[in-house]
Amino acid sequence: MKKIKLIIFVLILIIPITIVVLFNIVLFKVGIDIRVSNQTDNEISGLYVSYDEIKSEVKIPTLKPKENYILEVSDSKNSNENFDEAALLLEYKDKSGKLHREYIVGYIERGYSGFANIKITDKDENGKLKVEIMDLAF
């Protein structure tokens, strides 16, 4: 009986502490964590994350086949002082030099936070990518 009471007591302590810690991680997070996943059998290079009033585009390093990369974009780190609101974009050029843009998050503003997952599922012979994007920004 004492063992059960001890287990219940420990759970009563651990569960609220875990909830508070997770709540603080989400509540006080600033910026968007972006996970880029190359699900192709090809190397992918020349990817950038950009938006209006960004100090400089954020370059994503070359991704080997099946490789993942995680980056964070935040207004305090990446924006200039004129930043107010924008759309967060994934940009790249195909083999002919044509610029392609995919929306990562359609609307961001100062103090934004969230997560985005970019899956690159195919690359055609011209270098155009097939991309699936899921986001949760707040």
Side-chain angles (χ1 to χ4, degrees):
M1 192 67 176
K2 285 185 177 186
K3 197 173 189 178
I4 292 174
K5 286 183 179 180
L6 179 64
I7 291 171
I8 291 172
F9 179 73
V10 169
L11 287 174
I12 289 173
L13 287 176
I14 290 176
I15 291 172
I17 291 170
T18 304
I19 290 171
V20 168
V21 168
L22 291 174
F23 183 72
N24 283 330
I25 288 171
V26 171
L27 184 65
F28 296 111
K29 179 182 177 355
V30 177
I32 295 183
D33 289 333
I34 302 170
R35 181 175 188 261
V36 183
S37 177
N38 178 5
Q39 297 183 345
T40 72
D41 294 326
N42 303 301
E43 205 170 74
I44 305 291
S45 61
L47 300 175
Y48 293 87
V49 173
S50 184
Y51 56 90
D52 290 341
E53 304 301 339
I54 193 168
K55 289 179 186 174
S56 63
E57 295 176 325
V58 179
K59 185 178 189 316
I60 298 170
T62 298
L63 297 173
K64 295 177 184 169
K66 312 302 182 202
E67 184 178 17
N68 298 318
Y69 180 74
I70 297 174
L71 68 142
E72 181 187 68
V73 176
S74 69
D75 60 86
S76 61
K77 185 169 64 173
N78 302 106
S79 301
N80 64 34
E81 55 279 346
N82 295 326
F83 174 74
D84 189 33
E85 60 186 18
L88 189 61
L89 304 168
L90 175 69
E91 298 182 338
Y92 68 94
K93 291 182 181 177
D94 63 19
K95 288 183 180 177
S96 67
K98 180 181 176 187
L99 180 66
H100 295 270
R101 291 184 172 146
E102 302 282 344
Y103 282 85
I104 301 171
V105 180
Y107 179 80
I108 57 173
E109 61 186 357
R110 283 204 176 277
Y112 62 88
S113 61
F115 308 91
N117 190 22
I118 301 170
K119 292 181 186 177
I120 302 168
T121 58
D122 195 22
K123 180 179 179 181
D124 71 16
E125 64 277 352
N126 298 318
K128 187 167 184 339
L129 303 177
K130 183 176 179 185
V131 178
E132 296 174 10
I133 298 175
M134 292 180 11
D135 72 85
L136 172 62
F138 41 91

